[in-house]
Amino acid sequence: MAGAEEEAEARDLVRRILKDIGNAFRKNPAIDEIGVIPVSEARYNRSPVVLVDSKLGLESWCIKLLVPHVHVQLVHFRQRKIWPDQDGLAELTHTLLLLNPDCTTAWNVRKELIAANLLEPRKDLRLGSLALTKFPKSPETWIHRRWVLQRLLNSQERARASADDGDECAAARAEAVWHLVQGEMSVCRAAAERYPSNYNAWSHRIWVLQNVARCSVKALLAELAATEPWVRTHVSDHSGFHYRQFLLNSLATATSSAADPTRVSPLSETAQQDGEGPGAALAESGPQSDTVALTTLLHREFDLCTDLILAYPGHETLWSHRRFLYHLWHRNDGKGGSSSPSGTRVPDKTRGTQHEGTGSHSENAKDGDGSGSVANGGSPSASHTRGRANGQGSKRLKAEPRPYSLQDEVSFAARALAESPGSLQARSAAAYTRWLESVGEQ
């Protein structure tokens, strides 16, 4: 008898908590983050649901009570196909997924509601974004998010095929897709910040570029610009650098199919984000600011990698990224008409002029303020870093990109090895040298 009474009290308490959560979302539909308040047991007969501005907190004791009860209720409805009202079912799955976003059953129920046109798909994008603030690596959330996006794209494609409209409607649809892409990039960026090396978030970001943005040059250049500040502050996160490798590979593919294989076009204004990244600097490079040389993008990426290797010694991720850059540079060697074959040297006069402008890893390279060379062991100076971040130095971009020959890279690794003997940097530089030697023997 006592057990039955306790069970009834628990069910009643669960209903009250579910009602409080629903009221919180009705009171503030713009809730953008959820969290757990470490409270081991109920106190003062107060609600465990706390809403402060746009942040929702749940006391930890109620989560242990809510999840099993709500899950059992959902499974019961699913097995017997006895559904409550649709709004109640959507609210039930909404709460369960906020507490346990890897519940495949709950996501499948919401798929059925969307397929029956009983639930707006964009509500699930919102729900997924909210769940990812607490569980940024949840694979089921990312999978469901892709399903919803694909459904939205299919719906737009059907509308486009059936409509006989003009350029204005087509432009409006393109703008809507672009806003969808930007929204997904924002969600992925926040998830990557919350969980280091968040492979699921970065993989989703690649999927969005491939399937929503269709690897448009506009999106690729915008992402190359947007992720540069991120990788500068996350030098050990291989996922972020792998994403930039995907971007550069995709841009290289775009050049191979372009009428002029030396250039990627067009350069969108969206790539010029707050004056950072390659977009802003290239926009200042003169009359050809609507196109971008692939060799220039690779040259800038080599510059970035050099700065980070010298400023943050011993990070294997950076050396691995340099291997990729070397391979991509020489794989596309000759397409731009400005790079030299592997193993060749350019005249000393050209090398000196180029290095003084770029701040690359030559022995004669100097920072713009005349201070010591970055390549000669010093960290990048404040003015040097600000110049890159603000997109300054258009003269550097007008200069011919350096070839990054095998000998140049061996010399760079030797300098890094000499500057950091016995350290992680020394081991990384030695490994890079051995890799270069194996490449040279092929």
Side-chain angles (χ1 to χ4, degrees):
M1 187 68 178
E5 291 179 355
E6 290 178 358
E7 183 67 22
E9 290 178 0
R11 286 197 300 269
D12 184 59
L13 180 57
V14 167
R15 282 194 295 270
R16 292 203 307 269
I17 296 174
L18 289 175
K19 184 179 179 180
D20 289 343
I21 294 174
N23 289 336
F25 278 94
R26 282 186 284 273
K27 181 179 179 181
N28 187 355
I31 292 174
D32 59 10
E33 187 175 353
I34 59 173
V36 176
I37 304 172
V39 178
S40 58
E41 59 183 17
R43 292 180 295 180
Y44 312 118
N45 197 29
R46 68 183 182 187
S47 172
V49 181
V50 180
L51 178 64
V52 179
D53 297 329
S54 59
K55 314 300 179 185
L56 179 67
L58 299 174
E59 294 183 355
S60 56
W61 68 265
C62 79
I63 296 178
K64 299 176 183 178
L65 180 67
L66 274 177
V67 172
H69 276 78
V70 174
H71 188 267
V72 167
Q73 188 178 1
L74 181 63
V75 171
H76 176 74
F77 287 144
R78 181 111 176 130
Q79 289 175 344
R80 294 176 175 246
K81 294 294 182 181
I82 303 174
W83 304 107
D85 63 285
Q86 306 302 334
D87 292 339
L89 182 59
E91 190 168 314
L92 184 70
T93 54
H94 183 277
T95 300
L96 178 57
L97 290 167
L98 288 179
L99 304 176
N100 179 22
D102 287 329
C103 180
T104 307
T105 301
W107 286 123
N108 287 340
V109 168
R110 294 184 75 87
K111 282 185 176 73
E112 293 176 3
L113 292 175
I114 292 173
N117 294 322
L118 298 173
L119 184 65
E120 167 59 38
R122 292 182 184 273
K123 287 186 177 180
D124 269 22
L125 292 182
R126 174 77 178 163
L127 171 60
S129 300
L130 193 55
L132 289 170
T133 63
K134 175 60 180 164
F135 305 94
K137 204 177 179 181
S138 168
E140 293 298 329
T141 304
W142 292 111
I143 291 170
H144 184 75
R145 196 172 191 86
R146 288 192 281 274
W147 182 87
V148 173
L149 288 169
Q150 190 62 61
R151 188 172 182 86
L152 288 173
L153 291 175
N154 292 342
S155 176
Q156 289 184 0
E157 185 63 25
R158 287 193 298 270
R160 185 194 66 79
S162 61
D164 185 16
D165 46 29
D167 294 340
E168 291 185 2
C169 292
R173 282 196 297 269
E175 187 67 18
V177 171
W178 180 249
H179 282 300
L180 190 63
V181 170
Q182 292 298 92
E184 289 303 296
M185 296 308 168
S186 178
V187 171
C188 293
R189 190 180 308 115
E193 288 284 357
R194 287 186 168 92
Y195 195 100
S197 297
N198 193 339
Y199 173 81
N200 292 325
W202 290 103
S203 295
H204 181 77
R205 203 165 181 167
I206 290 175
W207 184 92
V208 170
L209 281 180
Q210 290 175 327
N211 295 274
V212 183
R214 305 294 183 186
C215 279
S216 70
V217 172
K218 171 184 177 181
L220 294 172
L221 289 174
E223 282 298 281
L224 198 63
T227 55
E228 181 176 332
W230 198 91
V231 297
R232 283 185 179 274
T233 55
H234 298 78
V235 294
S236 291
D237 196 321
H238 179 74
S239 295
F241 283 95
H242 176 264
Y243 180 69
R244 289 182 71 82
Q245 292 167 16
F246 163 78
L247 296 175
L248 291 168
N249 258 329
S250 299
L251 288 168
T253 301
T255 61
S256 66
S257 59
D260 179 2
T262 68
R263 295 192 175 275
V264 178
S265 65
L267 175 61
S268 168
E269 291 180 1
T270 56
Q272 306 168 26
Q273 300 198 1
D274 300 325
E276 296 180 349
L282 290 168
E284 300 175 359
S285 60
Q288 293 181 329
S289 61
D290 62 331
T291 59
V292 184
L294 174 64
T295 49
T296 302
L297 294 176
L298 289 176
H299 176 60
R300 284 185 58 87
E301 195 70 11
F302 261 111
D303 248 5
L304 169 66
C305 193
T306 297
D307 288 350
L308 295 180
I309 285 176
L310 296 175
Y312 302 99
H315 289 270
E316 181 60 31
T317 297
L318 301 175
W319 288 95
S320 177
H321 187 57
R322 196 173 189 92
R323 289 184 179 93
F324 163 82
L325 293 176
Y326 180 86
H327 172 74
L328 183 61
W329 180 276
H330 291 285
R331 189 184 77 188
N332 290 273
D333 192 29
K335 291 183 180 180
S338 59
S339 56
S340 303
S342 300
T344 62
R345 310 287 287 195
V346 295
D348 291 341
K349 183 177 179 181
T350 304
R351 287 165 56 100
T353 304
Q354 168 67 14
H355 296 167
E356 290 176 5
T358 62
S360 294
H361 53 270
S362 70
E363 295 178 358
N364 298 324
K366 299 288 182 181
D367 290 335
D369 59 357
S371 59
S373 167
V374 172
N376 287 331
S379 299
S381 68
S383 62
H384 179 80
T385 303
R386 284 196 302 270
R388 296 187 186 282
N390 295 330
Q392 296 173 357
S394 59
K395 292 182 180 179
R396 297 200 303 269
L397 297 178
K398 292 179 182 179
E400 232 181 273
R402 64 177 284 135
Y404 297 105
S405 67
L406 182 65
Q407 290 89 340
D408 287 332
E409 289 300 289
V410 169
S411 298
F412 170 71
R415 274 201 309 277
L417 185 64
E419 291 168 4
S420 305
S423 67
L424 290 175
Q425 180 84 319
R427 289 195 290 272
S428 298
Y432 185 60
T433 301
R434 290 193 297 272
W435 178 82
L436 289 170
E437 291 172 351
S438 67
V439 169
E441 292 172 357
Q442 294 177 359

